[in-house]
Amino acid sequence: MRCFSSIPLLLALAAADSSAADGWAFFEGKVRPLLVKHCYECHSQEAGKQKGGLLLDRKEGWEKGGDAGPALIVGQPAKSLLIHSVRYEDEDLQMPPKSKMAPEEIKVLEEWIAMGAPDPRVESLAAAQPKKTLDIEAARQTWAYRALQQAPLPAVKDKAWPRNDIDTLVLAEIEANKLKPAADADLRTLKRRLSYDLTGLPPNDAEASDLTYEAYVDRLLQSPAFGEKWGRHWLDLARYADSNGGDRNYTFYQAWRYRNYVIDSFNRDLSYYDFIREQIAGDLMPAKDDAQRRERMIAATYLSLGPKMLTERDKEKLHLDTVDEQLDTIGKSMLGLSIGCARCHDHKFDPISQRDYYALAGFLRSTEIVMGTRNGCVNVASWVEQALPKSGPEFAELKQKVERLELAMRLKVERDFMETVAGSKALTKLPLAGVIYDEASAELVGNWKESKLSKNRFGDFYIHDDKKDKGVKKAVFRGALPETGIYEVRIAYPAKGNCDTQVPITVEAFDDVHQVIFDQTKKPSVGGLFEPIGRFHFEKGGRVNVIVNTGGTKGYVIVDAVQFISEKDIERESMALAMANGSAHGDPLLTMSSAALSKELNKQIDALKDADLAMTPRDFADAGDVNLRVRGEVNQLGPKVPRNFLSVLHRGSAPEIAAGSSGRLQLAEWMVSAENTLLDRVIVNRLWAKLFGRGIVSTVDNFGVQGEKPTHPALLDHLALTFRASNGSIKTLIREMVLSRTYQLAAEGKSERVKADPENKLFARHSYRRLAAEEIRDSLLQLTGELNTEQAAATALTYGEDLDDLMKLDKLMHRSVYLPVARNNLAPDLEIFDAANPEMTAGDRPLTTVPTQALYLLNSSFIQKQAATLAQQAYAQADAVTWLHQAILGHAPEDAAAKRAQAFIDQSGTDREKALADLAHVLLASTEFLFLE
């Protein structure tokens, strides 16, 4: 009996073997030839290509999948990426790319997947060419990413020379190279150097002469001019501008608030760690009062300041491009890394994977920067602005005005889209919301018949299947939505008794493929046109497809339009429809025409341009993780990547982020944590570079492999540890640097040190530097007594809605940091002397020497005017020549120079004042005035 009991098992095994054999035969006879014909050219080891990271010449290849995830889901053709791509259901993912496979070939692949995707191929992926991977652990041991090292101070031969630890660390390298430091600079040279380095202005002789060097340092650090000078350095990093640049150079009416926040932060020595926190997540941070809340909201403008392609029609691309610009700015300005290079693939040089990029991108894609429309054109986006808190009813009123402006923007976008397909149902009478696609937008399979028989339609006509070719005809609507969330999907049709009651509709949402059976004899409940078929989860950038099928139907199947409306807009639309029917009262905006909304938009924007607003971002309601984009293509979705920090610096788990939150608070806290050693190394190197002429790491914006290695790694870490111990006090570290003997060395043109170390990598001498563009202009105004030292406000406001035209700035006497900064239209007086390009982070401005600079110094009406003013002041002096030298150069002329100048004036005859103006002009254009020793 025991023998007979094994017979069923044997039969089952035999049946399984037979089934497997049949499946393998199906694969070998039908599937493999298709893969060879259509796929191996780009996805096989033999072809040497693995496009999208996918191999289809082995079973393990499709099981693992490529950059976009598994190629197929066994038993579920409709959910398989392979079928999705060969059906050409997504215009951005069509395989094979040259031509679509025949319907019968696609059917073979569908049958194969449905039967379990049998595949006898046993070659392993390991046999294929291995992909180069990032060695994160090895990178963590390198100088840029390892923990800060507190090394003991080195021994030096000349023990009397150092005045602080900086000097000891510098002298050790100088001695190791068998050199000696230069002589100390004289006090007059030092005070001029200090004054420009700390305030950007020439020294006040009366003030400077009465103070010791150390006391003078402390006086300058407390000057309001300190924040204006060092705030300008940070504005270079933050790509500060008063206009958008890009395709539309709209004026950023509120950007000036961020500029002044930066200046004030440097003046009050705000902890650098709080400074970083507030710029990344100030709008989310708690505040003790309205004043701090305002300050932190303004700080977050940092994220909004970048140039944007506001006319980009693909709004998801606009959002992701904005994120890319933000990551590039954060990476370079705060971390010294080119994070943006990992958008399309793993970084080619630095330990930043593409997953790292999208882990960080999730924080910023969850943050709303661009929205609405700026000029009434549906294709031109605007940006988020928020009311700044204050006591009293004005705050609530201002918030309401901003909310109404955003409503007008949203309505304008809806109207413009729907009016392009409006027909018998005029949209002024039917104010629908959301996104609507007319039948003209559908991809039609089979011959559909147009009809205008029913007046109850959306657009000029609708189409029907004429009750022919059932099962063949279908209409495919491919949508694109502005944000992730739950949407109600509605179908428009004129209900008729001869329509079918069992119309099959497929909704391909992000989470699943849904099948709906719909009755087209039922009267539509929304405006007499649309009827909901369900609510579904759609992802921004994901698939948004609605397919009206005819299979299994007997009556007419009608296709008119499909509407996608966010859950949050349904109540507002209901109010608008009620108002259109005269059964309710509400905001007149809800029923305005497109033209009326355009006028209202312009009116509201103009009314709010000088209101108490800030360019403060906010979290999207649908904040969450984002999908990796295969090869950086917006619509090529790979796996969803949890939000996290750079893996080369972060060893812990991903942060816990509440639903509906961007996680920027967690990002800000990690950025300033001790684990992120790059933050400290990068900022102390920037401070050093501004004071000593070059950084310890000379590539101040790039601490990666393509950048330079530190000349003094122990000094870099010493400064970083000192900075961390001071809780990020910029002034404390600057003070220590300028009190060092290294800073106080003389500059040299020729010496053994210059010959041995022409780039001054050892800091054995001081480096000459030309005055910055702003320093030149500010000095010219300061010397004549015309400089307005008050803090300015919205200096760009008077130039209109964009800053494309040449701006006349001759009436503005404030410091140059307060002048309007227009992208694509920099002030010529500043641009000619290498002012920062506000398109991107500029930690190290280019230094050019070109003929136009000399021509400017010779012919500029501004310089000629300043020279004439100085001549008028000198005219009344007993010794005009000495007075001009003292005023412009900070010292009396040498005897020979004084005699030559006096002879020149004496030769001028009666026009002495003109001669004095020419002398002043010569001194203002001189190397001694333009350069610091």
Side-chain angles (χ1 to χ4, degrees):
M1 294 297 293
R2 196 172 297 165
C3 294
F4 289 104
S5 66
S6 63
I7 291 176
L9 175 61
L10 292 172
L11 291 173
L13 291 173
D17 288 341
S18 176
S19 176
D22 290 344
W24 289 354
F26 184 86
F27 176 85
E28 294 292 358
K30 296 186 176 183
V31 178
R32 190 199 284 263
L34 290 180
L35 296 178
V36 172
K37 177 182 177 182
H38 295 291
C39 306
Y40 277 25
E41 181 182 353
C42 299
H43 301 282
S44 68
Q45 182 182 6
E46 182 179 355
K49 296 181 180 179
Q50 191 176 346
K51 291 191 175 180
L54 176 65
L55 285 175
L56 290 175
D57 60 351
R58 61 203 69 216
K59 180 178 181 179
E60 197 174 327
W62 62 254
E63 285 180 329
K64 180 182 178 184
D67 299 336
L72 56 91
I73 300 176
V74 174
Q76 301 185 63
K79 294 185 178 181
S80 296
L81 188 61
L82 177 65
I83 300 303
H84 180 75
S85 61
V86 298
R87 285 176 176 171
Y88 277 40
E89 292 181 346
D90 187 337
E91 62 182 14
D92 295 307
L93 182 59
Q94 298 179 344
M95 297 294 163
K98 295 179 181 178
S99 62
K100 186 177 180 181
M101 294 171 65
E104 59 271 19
E105 292 177 322
I106 296 174
K107 188 175 181 181
V108 167
L109 294 178
E110 291 172 342
E111 291 179 11
W112 172 59
I113 295 172
M115 70 171 60
D119 187 344
R121 298 174 299 174
V122 295
E123 297 92 338
S124 68
L125 281 175
Q129 185 68 26
K131 182 180 179 181
K132 183 180 178 181
T133 58
L134 297 173
D135 191 341
I136 298 296
E137 196 55 47
R140 286 171 174 165
Q141 310 309 314
T142 59
W143 68 268
Y145 308 107
R146 68 190 178 199
L148 296 174
Q149 311 289 308
Q150 181 65 75
L153 288 176
V156 294
K157 296 176 183 177
D158 188 353
K159 294 180 173 54
W161 189 84
R163 292 174 184 162
N164 60 19
D165 291 347
I166 290 175
D167 293 331
T168 302
L169 289 160
V170 170
L171 181 61
E173 292 296 325
I174 295 173
E175 291 180 343
N177 284 270
K178 298 181 172 52
L179 292 172
K180 292 183 179 181
D184 296 336
D186 62 78
L187 191 58
R188 181 189 63 80
T189 298
L190 281 178
K191 288 189 174 180
R192 187 170 191 261
R193 181 190 297 173
L194 262 182
S195 186
Y196 274 110
D197 279 353
L198 298 193
T199 69
L201 293 171
N204 182 319
D205 288 339
E207 183 181 79
S209 61
D210 294 337
L211 297 172
T212 64
Y213 178 82
E214 186 171 347
Y216 191 49
V217 169
D218 292 334
R219 175 71 62 85
L220 294 175
L221 288 171
Q222 296 307 312
S223 167
F226 173 85
E228 292 165 338
K229 165 67 175 178
W230 285 84
R232 180 62 259 180
H233 291 325
W234 183 261
L235 294 175
D236 285 4
L237 301 175
R239 77 300 190 215
Y240 175 81
D242 292 286
S243 69
N244 178 68
D247 48 359
R248 293 302 300 264
N249 205 15
Y250 285 124
T251 305
F252 287 161
Y253 293 126
Q254 310 298 339
W256 67 272
R257 298 184 192 276
Y258 173 79
R259 176 199 69 207
N260 287 7
Y261 158 81
V262 170
I263 292 170
D264 292 343
S265 297
F266 275 89
N267 272 332
R268 60 192 176 91
D269 201 21
L270 177 69
S271 164
Y272 184 66
Y273 307 124
D274 286 337
F275 186 59
I276 296 300
R277 284 188 186 99
E278 291 178 354
Q279 290 178 89
I280 292 175
D283 56 307
L284 304 177
M285 294 173 68
K288 61 184 179 183
D289 53 32
D290 282 349
Q292 189 179 61
R293 175 69 177 149
R294 286 172 62 91
E295 179 183 285
R296 288 179 168 174
M297 288 179 67
I298 292 168
T301 298
Y302 169 87
L303 295 176
S304 304
L305 280 173
K308 309 164 192 67
M309 296 300 291
L310 296 174
T311 60
E312 172 60 60
R313 289 172 179 257
D314 184 340
K315 297 311 176 187
E316 180 60 17
K317 184 176 186 300
L318 173 59
H319 287 307
L320 289 177
D321 286 349
T322 300
V323 168
D324 185 65
E325 191 278 332
Q326 292 168 326
L327 281 177
D328 187 66
T329 302
I330 291 171
K332 289 177 181 174
S333 67
M334 298 179 183
L335 302 176
L337 293 176
S338 53
I339 295 174
C341 292
R343 180 178 185 178
C344 305
H345 46 69
D346 290 351
H347 201 294
K348 295 295 184 183
F349 306 104
D350 298 333
I352 306 171
S353 68
Q354 193 181 18
R355 284 187 64 87
D356 276 335
Y357 177 95
Y358 286 97
L360 288 171
F363 296 107
L364 300 173
R365 182 59 188 90
S366 297
T367 303
E368 188 174 19
I369 301 291
V370 291
M371 47 77 69
T373 174
R374 191 67 188 173
N375 65 349
C377 174
V378 66
N379 293 317
V380 182
S382 185
W383 53 89
V384 176
E385 291 181 337
Q386 296 194 56
L388 292 169
K390 63 171 71 173
S391 58
E394 294 88 354
F395 177 53
E397 292 171 4
L398 183 56
K399 281 186 67 177
Q400 190 175 28
K401 289 179 180 179
V402 174
E403 290 168 2
R404 193 164 186 268
L405 172 62
E406 292 190 4
L407 174 60
M409 289 179 175
R410 193 173 183 94
L411 290 168
K412 172 63 180 172
V413 171
E414 289 177 357
R415 296 286 192 275
D416 276 12
F417 180 84
M418 289 187 284
E419 281 194 354
T420 63
V421 292
S424 297
K425 282 282 186 175
L427 288 171
T428 52
K429 297 180 180 178
L430 193 61
L432 295 164
V435 179
I436 300 178
Y437 292 92
D438 195 26
E439 82 287 328
S441 302
E443 297 173 17
L444 302 178
V445 177
N447 295 317
W448 293 73
K449 188 173 182 179
E450 294 182 5
S451 177
K452 295 184 179 182
L453 186 61
S454 174
K455 295 182 179 180
N456 202 46
R457 65 180 186 268
F458 188 89
D460 290 334
F461 56 84
Y462 55 90
I463 58 176
H464 61 80
D465 69 346
D466 203 23
K467 296 198 292 187
K468 296 177 181 178
D469 298 328
K470 295 291 189 179
V472 175
K473 296 179 180 178
K474 63 180 178 179
V476 181
F477 291 86
R478 304 189 194 284
L481 300 175
E483 58 191 13
T484 297
I486 304 298
Y487 285 79
E488 185 169 273
V489 177
R490 300 169 178 173
I491 302 293
Y493 60 98
K496 293 177 175 291
N498 58 357
C499 289
D500 203 275
T501 61
Q502 299 288 310
V503 178
I505 299 176
T506 302
V507 179
E508 294 182 343
F510 182 79
D511 58 337
D512 208 343
V513 177
H514 306 269
Q515 304 295 335
V516 178
I517 301 299
F518 188 69
D519 181 0
Q520 287 198 333
T521 64
K522 179 182 178 182
K523 183 179 179 180
S525 60
V526 180
L529 270 184
F530 288 88
E531 181 65 22
I533 63 171
R535 296 187 181 185
F536 309 94
H537 175 80
F538 293 103
E539 195 88 0
K540 54 199 171 193
R543 62 182 179 184
V544 183
N545 300 329
V546 174
I547 305 167
V548 180
N549 299 290
T550 59
T553 62
K554 296 180 180 179
Y556 286 97
V557 174
I558 293 178
V559 175
D560 193 0
V562 174
Q563 180 185 15
F564 300 88
I565 178 170
S566 174
E567 281 186 320
K568 62 186 179 184
D569 289 333
I570 293 176
E571 183 178 352
R572 185 254 293 172
E573 184 197 59
S574 297
M575 171 60 76
L577 289 170
M579 290 173 63
N581 293 329
S583 58
H585 298 284
D587 193 324
L589 289 174
L590 296 177
T591 55
M592 279 186 183
S593 66
S594 176
L597 282 168
S598 290
K599 293 179 181 178
E600 185 64 23
L601 267 177
N602 292 334
K603 179 181 175 182
Q604 290 188 32
I605 290 172
D606 188 64
L608 291 173
K609 66 183 182 183
D610 57 352
D612 212 11
L613 305 176
M615 295 172 65
T616 308
R618 62 189 171 211
D619 282 4
F620 271 114
D622 61 339
D625 301 329
V626 298
N627 292 83
L628 181 146
R629 263 46 180 202
V630 180
R631 297 179 297 281
E633 296 290 337
V634 174
N635 296 312
Q636 296 291 322
L637 271 64
K640 186 164 282 191
V641 181
R643 281 163 286 177
N644 207 341
F645 317 125
L646 283 177
S647 54
V648 71
L649 291 166
H650 178 61
R651 293 178 178 271
S653 57
E656 294 184 7
I657 303 172
S661 170
S662 66
R664 278 187 291 122
L665 268 176
Q666 290 90 330
L667 175 62
E669 287 303 325
W670 175 79
M671 285 287 291
V672 302
S673 68
E675 180 182 59
N676 180 16
T677 54
L678 267 180
L679 186 77
D680 296 300
R681 286 190 175 109
V682 168
I683 186 58
V684 301
N685 186 64
R686 292 193 187 283
L687 301 182
W688 183 273
K690 293 302 179 186
L691 293 170
F692 292 86
R694 62 170 285 133
I696 298 168
V697 179
S698 63
T699 51
V700 293
D701 295 331
N702 190 351
F703 275 43
V705 172
Q706 293 295 91
E708 295 293 326
K709 292 181 179 179
T711 55
H712 299 66
L715 174 60
L716 182 66
D717 277 15
H718 167 78
L719 295 173
L721 286 164
T722 301
F723 188 67
R724 176 66 61 168
S726 73
N727 192 32
S729 170
I730 297 282
K731 286 187 176 182
T732 298
L733 189 57
I734 287 177
R735 187 178 190 275
E736 181 175 347
M737 288 180 180
V738 299
L739 289 179
S740 71
R741 192 166 188 178
T742 306
Y743 177 81
Q744 298 174 50
L745 294 176
E748 294 179 325
K750 293 182 179 180
S751 71
E752 60 175 333
R753 285 166 290 275
V754 175
K755 186 177 180 180
D757 180 22
E759 295 180 64
N760 200 19
K761 293 181 178 181
L762 297 174
F763 306 107
R765 66 185 192 278
H766 206 75
S767 297
Y768 291 99
R769 80 166 176 89
R770 192 181 68 200
L771 297 183
E774 294 87 350
E775 290 172 328
I776 294 172
R777 178 184 174 275
D778 293 351
S779 296
L780 293 172
L781 290 172
Q782 174 91 325
L783 292 174
T784 60
E786 297 172 280
L787 184 66
N788 185 341
T789 58
E790 297 293 319
Q791 189 172 71
T795 53
L797 196 63
T798 59
Y799 294 96
E801 69 172 355
D802 61 53
L803 298 184
D804 281 329
D805 295 333
L806 183 65
M807 295 179 291
K808 293 184 178 180
L809 305 175
D810 53 325
K811 302 296 183 184
L812 291 174
M813 298 299 171
H814 285 88
R815 291 201 65 177
S816 300
V817 70
Y818 298 113
L819 297 181
V821 179
R823 290 193 173 105
N824 309 329
N825 186 24
L826 291 178
D829 290 6
L830 301 182
E831 185 176 21
I832 198 169
F833 287 106
D834 307 316
N837 177 2
E839 295 285 339
M840 62 192 74
T841 289
D844 193 9
R845 295 184 181 184
L847 181 63
T848 63
T849 302
V850 293
T852 48
Q853 293 166 349
L855 291 171
Y856 173 86
L857 293 169
L858 180 64
N859 299 312
S860 165
S861 58
F862 173 61
I863 291 184
Q864 290 175 355
K865 173 180 171 293
Q866 300 310 106
T869 302
L870 285 167
Q872 290 172 3
Q873 297 172 8
Y875 192 82
Q877 305 298 320
D879 186 351
V881 170
T882 299
W883 187 91
L884 281 174
H885 278 77
Q886 193 72 50
I888 297 172
L889 303 180
H891 64 84
E894 295 180 356
D895 290 343
K899 288 178 181 178
R900 285 196 303 271
Q902 190 61 56
F904 170 74
I905 293 169
D906 292 342
Q907 292 170 7
S908 64
T910 57
D911 200 354
R912 186 168 180 269
E913 187 173 323
K914 174 65 168 60
L916 287 171
D918 289 341
L919 175 60
H921 192 170
V922 168
L923 295 177
L924 291 174
S926 68
T927 299
E928 188 174 356
F929 173 72
L930 294 171
F931 281 79
L932 285 180
E933 293 185 45

